C-alpha cells in the first residue's frame, strides 16, 4: 500500500505571519534576522532565535508555525490521557527527535512533533508504523510530559526497585555501612546508579525545581517541588539509604566520609540534549544526611517580560525604568519568587551591541549571549563585594548583582549607580517600600539611598489554574465576607485535579507584582528616614498597585485561585 507522505506546504514566511498577528515588531524581527545571518553563528531558524531572545513565547511561535504549515497546534492537556496498546518506538528515539504518538483514528496514526520539518524523523516514524500519519505541532515540554505519561519512568523505577527486592534475599550488599571503601563500592552498584539516574532524569523532564531526599526512621522519602509545592514521589527502602546518598555525594564531588557537617556541591548532567546543573546541599539529621538538589537548566530559554504576568501599566513603568541611563533598580521577594528570572528578562530586553553588561551571581542560572557573567567563588575570595569592586573597572554600562547581602556590597552598588551605571540587584524584603528600610538598617546613609534608587519591584509567584480541569469555585461565606470587595462579584475558579496537573489543580506559575517608582517626594521621605508604612501609603496614593491587588486582579481574570493569593500575600482583604 502506498503511504501518504507528509509534505507541508508553507503559507508564506514565518516572519510575515508573526508580523500579521502582531506577535513581534519589525524591529525585533530584524534583530533576529541579523542574529541568524551573523558570521560564525550556527544557522538557527528565525523562530528559534525570536524565542531565545524573549521576543515571542514558544507557544505563540509554534501556533504561527502550525498555521504556516497547515497543521494543528496541540497543548498537553489536549492530548488523550491514554494511548492504546501497540508497538511504539523507543523512548530514546522519541526524546531525541521530540516526537510522541497520541493515538490512532480511522487507521491513521496521530503524532505530535516539535519539528515537523525534520524529514528524517517523519520518515523514520512513518516507516516504523507502516501507516499514514497525521502530524500535530506541540512544544518540547509538552512532548516530554506526554512521553512521561504514556511511557514514563515510573515503570523503569518499579523494575529497579523490584530488582533490588529480588537481590535482597541473596545479598546483603546494600545494607548500611559506614566504612568509606564499602560506601564507595555501594555507590557504583548498577541498581543504585540506575535509581539515582532515574530520580534525576524524571525530575528534569517533569518541571521539577528541587529534589528532596529525606531519611526517616523506617524509609527514605523522595519529594519533588513542582510549581513551588512539594509532593512525595517515592519511598525508598532504608537499607539503600547510605548507597543512594553516597552516590549523589560522589557525583557532586563531596566527601562521602564526612556525615556530621553540611556540604555543598554541584552535578553537571546532560538530559534530552539539555545541559543541566544540580546545586547539591547535604545536611546531617537524626536519621542520616538529608539532600536537596536545586535544578538549574542552563539551556532554558529566557522568558520575555511580557510572559512574566505583569499588569499592563506596571509593565510599561518597569520598561521605562530599565531604560534609564543610571541608577539602582531593586527586585525584592522571598527565595524562589522569580527575582532572577525577572532581572534576566529585563537584561535580555535592553541587551544590545552598544552596551556592556556584566553580572556577578551565585549561581549563574541563565547563560546569555552578549552578557559577561561572573560566578561568585568564596573559596578563592571572590565575593559579591570583591567582584563588584573590579567590575566597575571594566567600563560597564549595566551591572547586575545577584543579591545584596551585606553593607559592603550595598555601598559599592550604590556608588556604582551614582557614577553613571545602571545597577540591578535583589533584596529579601516583604514589599517594595521595605527595601528602603532594609538598606538604611544595613547602615547606608539616607542621602545615598535617595540619590541612587530609581525603583523597587516586589514580586511573588502564584500557581495558575490547570486549564484541563478548571471549573467555577464556591467560596465559603466566611471567606467571601473578607475578600468580597476584592473580587467584585465576578465568578472565581479552581482546578479539580487531573492527570495533566498531577491532580493538584494547578499547572505552571505566573507573577504578581508591585512597583514603586522613586520620585522627588519619595526621595525627600527617604532623606527624612520616615517609616516604610508611610512611604507605602504615599506610593499607593500615587497609583502603585500592591501585591494583593495584583493577585486579586488575576483571580478576577480566572488565572489563579483565591487560596493562592491569600497564601502568597498573607492577606484576606
Amino acid at each position: 500500500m502506498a503511504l501518504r507522505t507528509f509534505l507541508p506546504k508553507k503559507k508564506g514566511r514565518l516572519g510575515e505571519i508573526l508580523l500579521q498577528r502582531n506577535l513581534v515588531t519589525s524591529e525585533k524581527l530584524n534583530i533576529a534576522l541579523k542574529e541568524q545571518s551573523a558570521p560564525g553563528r550556527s544557522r538557527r531558524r528565525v523562530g528559534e532565535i525570536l524565542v531565545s531572545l524573549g521576543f515571542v513565547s514558544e507557544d505563540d511561535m509554534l501556533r504561527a508555525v502550525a498555521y504556516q504549515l497547515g497543521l494543528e497546534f496541540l497543548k498537553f492537556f489536549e492530548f488523550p490521557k491514554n494511548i492504546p496498546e501497540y508497538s511504539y518506538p523507543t523512548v530514546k528515539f522519541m526524546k531525541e527527535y521530540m516526537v510522541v504518538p497520541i493515538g490512532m483514528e480511522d487507521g491513521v496514526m496521530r503524532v505530535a512533533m516539535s519539528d515537523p520539518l525534520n524529514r528524517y524523523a517523519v520518515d523514520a516514524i512513518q516507516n516504523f508504523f507502516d501507516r499514514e500519519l497525521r502530524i500535530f505541532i506541540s512544544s518540547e515540554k509538552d512532548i516530554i510530559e506526554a512521553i512521561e505519561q504514556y511511557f514514563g519512568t515510573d515503570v523503569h523505577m518499579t523494575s529497579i526497585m523490584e530488582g533490588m527486592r529480588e537481590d535482597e534475599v541473596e545479598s546483603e550488599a546494600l545494607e548500611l555501612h559506614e566504612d568509606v571503601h564499602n560506601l564507595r563500592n555501594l555507590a557504583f552498584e548498577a541498581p543504585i546508579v540506575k535509581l539515582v539516574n532515574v530520580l534525576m532524569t524524571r525530575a528534569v523532564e517533569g518541571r521539577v525545581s528541587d529534589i528532596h531526599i529525606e531519611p526517616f526512621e523506617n524509609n527514605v522519602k523522595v519529594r519533588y517541588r513542582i510549581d513551588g509545592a512539594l509532593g512525595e514521589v517515592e519511598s525508598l527502602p532504608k537499607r539503600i539509604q547510605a548507597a543512594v546518598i553516597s552516590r549523589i555525594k560522589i557525583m557532586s564531588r563531596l566527601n562521602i566520609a564526612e556525615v556530621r557537617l553540611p556540604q555543598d556541591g554541584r552535578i553537571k548532567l546532560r538530559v534530552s540534549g539539555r545541559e543541566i546543573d544540580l546545586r547539591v546541599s547535604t545536611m546531617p539529621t537524626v536519621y542520616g544526611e538529608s539532600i536537596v538538589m536545586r535544578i538549574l537548566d542552563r539551556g532554558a530559554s529566557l522568558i520575555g517580560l511580557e510572559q512574566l504576568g505583569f499588569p499592563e501599566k506596571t509593565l510599561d513603568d518597569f520598561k521605562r525604568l530599565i531604560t534609564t541611563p543610571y541608577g539602582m533598580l531593586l527586585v525584592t521577594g522571598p527565595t524562589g519568587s522569580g527575582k532572577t528570572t525577572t532581572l534576566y528578562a529585563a537584561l535580555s530586553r535592553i541587551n544590545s551591541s552598544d552596551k556592556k553588561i556584566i553580572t556577578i551571581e551565585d549561581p549563574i542560572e541563565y547563560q546569555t549571549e552578549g552578557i559577561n557573567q561572573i560566578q561568585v567563588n568564596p573559596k578563592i575570595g571572590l565575593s559579591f563585594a570583591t567582584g563588584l569592586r573590579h567590575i566597575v573597572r571594566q567600563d560597564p554600562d549595566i551591572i547586575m548583582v545577584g543579591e545584596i547581602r551585606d553593607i559592603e556590597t550595598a555601598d559599592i552598588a550604590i556608588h556604582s549607580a551614582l557614577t553613571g551605571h545602571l545597577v540591578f540587584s535583589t533584596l529579601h524584603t516583604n514589599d517594595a517600600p521595605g527595601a528602603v528600610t532594609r538598606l538604611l538598617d544595613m547602615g547606608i546613609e539616607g542621602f545615598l539611598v535617595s540619590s541612587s534608587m530609581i525603583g523597587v519591584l516586589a514580586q511573588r509567584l502564584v500557581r495558575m489554574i490547570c486549564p484541563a480541569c478548571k471549573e467555577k469555585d464556591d467560596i465559603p461565606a466566611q471567606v467571601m465576607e473578607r475578600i468580597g470587595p476584592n473580587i467584585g462579584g465576578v465568578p472565581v475558579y479552581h482546578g479539580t485535579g487531573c492527570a495533566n496537573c498531577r491532580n493538584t489543580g494547578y499547572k505552571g506559575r505566573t507573577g504578581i507584582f508591585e512597583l514603586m517608582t522613586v520620585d522627588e517626594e519619595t526621595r525627600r521621605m527617604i532623606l527624612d528616614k520616615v517609616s516604610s508604612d508611610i512611604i507605602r501609603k504615599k506610593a499607593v496614593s500615587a497609583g502603585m498597585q500592591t501585591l494583593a491587588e495584583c493577585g486579586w486582579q488575576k483571580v478576577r481574570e480566572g488565572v489563579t485561585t483565591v487560596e493562592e493569593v491569600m497564601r502568597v500575600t498573607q492577606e484576606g482583604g
Side-chain angles (χ1 to χ4, degrees):
M1 180 178 76
L3 296 178
R4 171 180 169 268
T5 303
F6 172 72
L7 291 170
K9 295 180 180 178
K10 294 186 178 181
K11 301 177 183 176
R13 293 178 177 272
L14 180 60
E16 294 169 355
I17 294 171
L18 293 169
L19 288 171
Q20 290 166 4
R21 296 184 168 206
N22 294 318
L23 292 173
V24 295
T25 62
S26 56
E27 291 79 11
K28 290 178 180 177
L29 181 59
N30 287 333
I31 291 172
L33 292 171
K34 287 179 182 177
E35 173 76 14
Q36 184 186 45
S37 60
R41 302 283 174 85
S42 59
R43 186 73 176 178
R44 291 194 297 164
R45 293 175 183 167
V46 69
E48 182 185 347
I49 296 170
L50 286 166
V51 172
S52 68
L53 292 173
F55 291 165
V56 65
S57 72
E58 183 181 14
D59 281 359
D60 283 343
M61 176 60 63
L62 290 175
R63 286 189 181 92
V65 172
Y67 172 80
Q68 182 193 28
L69 300 180
L71 300 176
E72 187 176 342
F73 173 72
L74 283 186
K75 294 289 292 175
F76 175 71
F77 69 86
E78 298 175 291
F79 289 12
K81 292 184 179 179
N82 299 291
I83 56 176
E85 290 290 331
Y86 204 78
S87 176
Y88 293 106
T90 65
V91 169
K92 181 180 179 182
F93 172 86
M94 290 187 280
K95 288 184 176 179
E96 184 174 355
Y97 293 101
M98 283 298 137
V99 55
V100 62
I102 56 174
M104 194 104 64
E105 189 176 85
D106 299 328
V108 176
M109 179 59 70
R110 294 154 55 89
V111 176
M113 302 184 71
S114 66
D115 182 10
L117 294 176
N118 185 328
R119 189 70 213 199
Y120 171 80
V122 173
D123 288 345
I125 201 161
Q126 189 169 55
N127 290 333
F128 180 90
F129 287 117
D130 193 29
R131 61 179 59 245
E132 189 176 322
L133 300 182
R134 182 181 176 192
I135 294 180
F136 298 84
I137 292 185
S138 298
S139 69
E140 292 189 1
K141 177 174 68 69
D142 286 351
I143 288 171
I144 287 291
E145 287 203 49
I147 295 172
E148 176 77 19
Q149 179 167 311
Y150 301 151
F151 314 97
T153 50
D154 285 338
V155 177
H156 191 186
M157 179 74 75
T158 301
S159 65
I160 292 172
M161 300 299 290
E162 286 175 352
M164 287 182 175
R165 283 193 283 273
E166 289 170 4
D167 294 341
E168 186 174 7
V169 178
E170 301 174 6
S171 172
E172 297 297 319
L174 296 179
E175 290 295 335
L176 295 173
H177 291 274
E178 294 188 8
D179 180 79
V180 174
H181 179 71
N182 283 336
L183 285 174
R184 190 173 294 278
N185 287 340
L186 291 177
F188 286 98
E189 289 281 340
I192 294 298
V193 172
K194 288 179 183 177
L195 175 65
V196 172
N197 287 348
V198 167
L199 289 174
M200 292 180 179
T201 302
R202 187 167 66 176
V204 170
E205 294 175 349
R207 301 186 301 110
V208 174
S209 62
D210 301 87
I211 306 170
H212 292 242
I213 298 177
E214 303 165 317
F216 292 94
E217 185 176 5
N218 299 314
N219 61 4
V220 180
K221 291 184 178 179
V222 179
R223 298 199 288 171
Y224 290 163
R225 188 178 295 279
I226 302 174
D227 293 337
L230 271 173
E232 185 175 343
V233 294
E234 202 67 53
S235 179
L236 306 179
K238 186 71 174 177
R239 64 191 175 83
I240 67 171
Q241 173 181 319
V244 169
I245 289 173
S246 296
R247 176 63 187 166
I248 295 171
K249 290 172 76 173
I250 286 171
M251 292 177 73
S252 48
R253 296 192 162 105
L254 299 179
N255 183 357
I256 62 172
E258 180 56 76
V259 297
R260 299 168 300 172
L261 294 173
Q263 297 185 68
D264 295 311
R266 292 176 186 272
I267 299 173
K268 290 185 180 293
L269 296 176
R270 189 171 181 86
V271 179
S272 299
R274 293 150 56 197
E275 296 291 340
I276 305 294
D277 279 5
L278 278 75
R279 188 171 54 177
V280 181
S281 170
T282 73
M283 178 69 69
T285 73
V286 67
Y287 294 117
E289 288 179 282
S290 171
I291 291 183
V292 175
M293 292 177 276
R294 166 66 58 87
I295 297 173
L296 304 173
D297 188 349
R298 300 291 188 183
S301 297
L302 284 176
I303 302 174
L305 285 175
E306 289 79 6
Q307 283 80 53
L308 295 178
F310 277 100
E312 187 176 352
K313 181 181 182 303
T314 307
L315 178 60
D316 290 341
D317 291 342
F318 188 67
K319 286 178 180 177
R320 178 176 53 80
L321 287 176
I322 65 176
T323 56
T324 305
Y326 58 87
M328 184 167 67
L329 176 61
L330 298 176
V331 180
T332 76
T335 300
S337 59
K339 301 186 296 294
T340 303
T341 300
T342 297
L343 283 180
Y344 261 97
L347 289 178
S348 178
R349 170 59 67 101
I350 58 179
N351 184 16
S352 62
S353 58
D354 63 342
K355 291 186 176 68
K356 179 159 185 173
I357 303 176
I358 306 180
T359 75
I360 181 162
E361 307 166 66
D362 184 25
I364 296 173
E365 295 189 25
Y366 299 95
Q367 292 181 344
T368 308
E369 183 75 23
I371 295 179
N372 297 274
Q373 298 171 271
I374 302 169
Q375 169 69 55
V376 166
N377 190 347
K379 291 180 181 178
I380 60 172
L382 181 56
S383 64
F384 279 117
T386 55
L388 185 54
R389 189 177 288 112
H390 289 279
I391 283 173
V392 295
R393 299 171 189 162
Q394 289 284 307
D395 189 29
D397 298 290
I398 300 162
I399 301 169
M400 187 187 92
V401 185
E403 183 182 346
I404 292 178
R405 297 176 179 172
D406 51 56
I407 185 172
E408 186 179 8
T409 306
D411 189 61
I412 301 170
I414 285 173
H415 278 91
S416 299
L418 291 173
T419 53
H421 304 93
L422 180 59
V423 179
F424 296 149
S425 192
T426 69
L427 272 178
H428 291 287
T429 64
N430 290 330
D431 58 11
V436 174
T437 307
R438 179 83 177 96
L439 290 173
L440 295 176
D441 289 344
M442 279 185 175
I444 303 296
E445 292 291 342
F447 74 90
L448 291 175
V449 178
S450 67
S451 301
S452 61
M453 187 178 288
I454 59 174
V456 184
L457 179 76
Q459 70 177 69
R460 300 287 189 277
L461 292 176
V462 293
R463 291 179 292 173
M464 297 190 293
I465 301 169
C466 173
C469 59
K470 180 177 178 180
E471 65 175 32
K472 285 187 180 180
D473 195 10
D474 295 322
I475 306 298
Q478 62 271 27
V479 176
M480 186 56 74
E481 286 179 10
R482 292 158 52 200
I483 67 168
N486 298 304
I487 301 301
V490 302
V492 297
Y493 298 86
H494 74 145
T496 58
C498 64
N500 182 50
C501 59
R502 294 180 168 87
N503 293 311
T504 63
Y506 297 99
K507 186 72 180 288
R509 290 189 290 178
T510 189
I512 60 173
F513 306 89
E514 68 176 31
L515 178 62
M516 181 185 80
T517 56
V518 180
D519 56 18
E520 288 305 316
E521 186 179 350
T522 306
R523 295 188 197 284
R524 286 194 295 270
M525 296 172 81
I526 295 172
L527 277 172
D528 294 338
K529 296 185 178 180
V530 303
S531 71
S532 61
D533 287 341
I534 296 175
I535 294 176
R536 180 178 183 79
K537 289 177 181 176
K538 182 265 168 190
V540 170
S541 67
M544 180 183 80
Q545 184 183 49
T546 67
L547 282 168
E549 288 168 349
C550 186
W552 295 126
Q553 179 180 333
K554 291 193 182 297
V555 171
R556 293 191 296 271
E557 293 170 352
V559 173
T560 190
T561 63
V562 169
E563 292 81 7
E564 274 294 281
V565 173
M566 295 176 70
R567 177 180 68 85
V568 302
T569 64
Q570 299 179 342
E571 289 192 32

